[in-house]
Amino acid sequence: MNEWILPGTTGLVMNEPLLWEKGDQGRIGFSMPERDVPRTDPPQGARTRPPDLPELSEVDVVRHYSRLSQWNFGVDSGTYPLGSCTMKYNPKINEDMAALPGFAASHPLLPEHMSQGTLGLMHRMQEMLGEITGLRSVSLQPAAGAHGEYTGMRVIHGYIQKHSGTRSKMLIPDTAHGTNPASAAMCGYQTVPVQSNEKGILSAEKVAELMDEDTAGIMVTNPNTLGLFEENLGEIADIIHDKGGLVYCDGANMNALMGIVDFSCLGVDVLHLNLHKTFSAPHGGGGPGSGPVCVHPDLDPFLPVPRVEKHNDRYRLSEDHPDSIGRLHSFYGNFGVMVKSFAYILTLGPQLKRISQMAVLNANYLRQRIKGVINLPYDRPCMHECVFTDKYQEQYKVNTANISKRLLDYGFHPPTIYFPLVVNGSMMLEPTENEAQQDLDMLVEAYTRIAREAEENPDVLRNAPHLTKVTKLDETAAARHPCLTG
Ligand SMILES: *Cc1c(COP(=O)(O)O)cnc(C)c1O
């Protein structure tokens, strides 16, 4: 590959002062119509000096914000393989749909007879997510993945309380997402860690050792944070159920499994989805989230209220669920996010399965092509993401952080690093289905060059990045003494 083919971050990147530092006295960005009334003095006590605002022309302001926007990096700028985050492309048609005045301007306090369209969309969304997961009772209320976990924990707590009294513990594998133990603890559970086996997944024996009648259940991330499918989940669910517990599955990694796995067949009782990951709504700095919870019909009575229900072709909101855990969000959740994901699902239909297949194929392609130069600790087929470490580069005193910073010079957003915690110096790559083979090849090429640089010129890596707008930052100082005013 030629030197110039790798997309770097050199080129026209403008410096940009603050708006207060820009501009000049007397510059203006508007024009008022000519005065057609007599001039008078301001009333007594009124402000006589103009407010301290920068004086700028329209062009000054447009350039200022356009330049700042170019300093940002997003899925619309390039490859963004941030593991566990599913940074997939957000189709623009979803935004158009969410902006339709009937959706965007509908007030949450409108009476039901004037909200049939929005309620109908939510009801259909519940049905579709029930179909995709196999768990057909659905609440769209939670506002994010972790909020969905908390909701699911509360549902489990409600069910167990009603059927078998109080239980105090929750099993959490060491390959679970970090939010899982936090959600269980917020619900009052004592978390019990479960070690994964040498294959990077849970073994039924280990779970059987730890499961007892004071344990409410297990929270499994599947595929787990190593990007591996929990093959023994069915057997594990039987063990949990035999002792009266319930199985929670963190489904934020659903991008690997759409149209492929029916979670009810795996014995899962509660699962949350991240609409802002799998179903393409923008996230991170890009917008709010939505973390619907899908449950087994036995747990239906415990879902949050209000519920969106259909009676004789009319949709309504019902609070009439005495066992419900109550309300977790003002109004009915983040409706705009639901519209975007609804549009995404309708656009793709049965092709959703192909999305997951391509996401898994892309991750395996990367895994196979990078493993020669960067260490792959679990060398077996992965799902939608794969985890590498800095073991080969250790001898040159180059670590995961150095490698990832250098990736910025090659024009790629770094992967998730130092997570999952079970792997030392981990780098977790999730390419998503969006990347074409050429894009993946360039990423492989970047890692190959970085591996060579580690041997030949490790200082280049230790001092990276070199080509970005701001280069090496003092991260400790940034965290301890943040400067929030520019
Ligand atoms: C992202 C993620 C979460 C948390 O979702 P948020 O919307 O960020 O709260 C939970 N579990 C897994 C596996 C995730 O990838």
Side-chain angles (χ1 to χ4, degrees):
M1 208 179 276
N2 293 330
E3 197 71 34
W4 56 269
I5 292 184
L6 270 185
T9 43
T10 48
L12 276 178
V13 180
M14 308 285 181
N15 284 325
E16 188 60 19
L18 296 178
L19 281 180
W20 265 267
E21 296 160 355
K22 260 182 103 145
D24 213 349
Q25 260 186 359
R27 273 200 215 176
I28 45 175
F30 65 92
S31 56
M32 299 280 273
E34 266 188 49
R35 188 174 59 238
D36 58 358
V37 291
R39 189 184 180 115
T40 58
D41 287 332
Q44 274 271 287
R47 189 210 311 254
T48 50
R49 269 189 308 133
D52 178 25
L53 292 173
E55 293 174 64
L56 300 149
S57 70
E58 183 171 325
V59 178
D60 290 334
V61 175
V62 168
R63 285 190 180 157
H64 179 73
Y65 288 107
S66 300
R67 285 174 185 171
L68 291 186
S69 76
Q70 287 161 0
W71 291 5
N72 206 354
F73 188 91
V75 281
D76 289 353
S77 343
T79 304
Y80 203 134
L82 194 68
S84 202
C85 294
T86 313
M87 302 304 289
K88 66 163 68 178
Y89 174 64
N90 314 125
K92 303 306 169 232
I93 190 170
N94 299 351
E95 300 295 327
D96 291 347
M97 297 302 107
L100 288 174
F103 292 139
S106 73
H107 194 281
L109 290 176
L110 275 181
E112 272 165 23
H113 74 272
M114 295 176 77
S115 320
Q116 286 299 300
T118 49
L119 293 175
L121 183 144
M122 289 166 76
H123 195 265
R124 276 192 72 193
M125 186 71 172
Q126 290 175 184
E127 287 178 335
M128 292 194 301
L129 297 181
E131 179 73 27
I132 290 168
T133 57
L135 296 162
R136 285 168 206 281
S137 293
V138 178
S139 169
L140 303 174
Q141 217 181 91
H147 199 201
E149 291 166 30
Y150 175 70
T151 307
M153 282 293 106
R154 289 280 309 277
V155 166
I156 287 181
H157 185 266
Y159 179 90
I160 300 238
Q161 193 85 0
K162 180 144 181 141
H163 290 92
S164 54
T166 309
R167 294 188 176 203
S168 69
K169 294 184 288 184
M170 182 63 64
L171 304 183
I172 317 246
D174 56 9
T175 51
H177 192 264
T179 48
N180 289 191
S183 304
M186 269 191 71
C187 199
Y189 287 117
Q190 182 201 330
T191 59
V192 179
V194 190
Q195 249 179 17
S196 44
N197 63 20
E198 69 294 341
K199 287 165 81 181
I201 58 170
L202 283 175
S203 67
E205 296 74 40
K206 199 86 196 170
V207 174
E209 267 171 41
L210 295 166
M211 182 62 197
D212 61 20
E213 252 126 58
D214 189 30
T215 301
I218 190 166
M219 265 185 116
V220 182
T221 303
N222 198 18
N224 67 24
T225 52
L226 292 169
L228 302 176
F229 188 74
E230 292 289 353
E231 294 162 14
N232 305 319
L233 188 53
E235 208 183 323
I236 288 167
D238 289 342
I239 294 167
I240 301 287
H241 290 149
D242 281 349
K243 291 252 163 79
L246 294 175
V247 178
Y248 186 97
C249 182
D250 178 332
N253 291 338
M254 191 71 188
N255 212 42
L257 304 176
M258 282 186 290
I260 298 165
V261 171
D262 178 327
F263 283 89
S264 68
C265 298
L266 278 179
V268 170
D269 300 293
V270 184
L271 171 134
H272 86 263
L273 295 167
N274 277 22
L275 296 190
H276 46 293
K277 291 180 182 168
T278 315
F279 300 97
S280 86
H283 61 137
S290 177
V293 168
C294 311
V295 305
H296 186 276
D298 288 354
L299 298 171
D300 183 275
F302 300 91
L303 284 177
V305 286
R307 304 276 303 270
V308 184
E309 293 172 352
K310 188 176 182 185
H311 292 274
N312 306 325
D313 289 338
R314 305 290 297 170
Y315 299 100
R316 65 172 207 202
L317 289 164
S318 165
E319 302 261 354
D320 187 19
H321 294 273
D323 284 331
S324 164
I325 60 166
R327 181 189 277 278
L328 286 121
H329 193 286
S330 54
F331 304 115
Y332 329 108
N334 286 334
F335 179 70
V337 183
M338 297 171 208
V339 180
K340 292 175 200 180
S341 295
F342 185 79
Y344 182 72
I345 294 173
L346 288 192
T347 306
L348 287 156
Q351 296 291 322
L352 280 174
K353 179 174 181 174
R354 206 160 152 67
I355 295 286
S356 287
Q357 290 170 329
M358 293 308 289
V360 171
L361 180 64
N362 273 355
N364 278 288
Y365 182 78
L366 275 188
R367 179 181 64 82
Q368 198 61 24
R369 292 226 37 218
I370 294 178
K371 74 178 189 186
V373 290
I374 310 279
N375 171 53
L376 178 76
Y378 295 94
D379 192 1
R380 44 187 299 236
C382 61
M383 302 301 287
H384 62 308
E385 60 196 1
C386 50
V387 175
F388 296 92
T389 83
D390 52 7
K391 193 170 164 201
Y392 297 164
Q393 283 71 38
E394 236 170 34
Q395 54 183 313
Y396 310 113
K397 300 205 165 35
V398 164
N399 62 26
T400 286
N402 306 144
I403 295 171
S404 306
K405 297 272 189 199
R406 182 65 174 150
L407 213 49
L408 293 167
D409 289 335
Y410 286 102
F412 295 99
H413 193 284
T416 295
I417 58 172
Y418 299 110
F419 182 85
L421 302 174
V422 277
V423 174
N424 274 337
S426 48
M427 297 170 234
M428 183 195 215
L429 274 77
E430 178 182 4
T432 82
E433 67 280 5
N434 296 138
E435 301 308 304
Q437 189 179 345
Q438 288 90 331
D439 299 318
L440 297 177
D441 285 341
M442 285 200 275
L443 184 58
V444 171
E445 175 69 14
Y447 272 108
T448 309
R449 289 185 188 207
I450 289 171
R452 203 180 314 134
E453 286 171 342
E455 287 175 43
E456 294 169 0
N457 191 2
D459 272 341
V460 168
L461 302 187
R462 287 186 212 121
N463 299 322
H466 306 271
L467 301 177
T468 48
K469 188 76 192 63
V470 285
T471 52
K472 204 165 177 62
L473 295 171
D474 182 341
E475 291 177 17
T476 315
R480 295 234 171 104
H481 310 288
C483 172
L484 303 177
T485 54

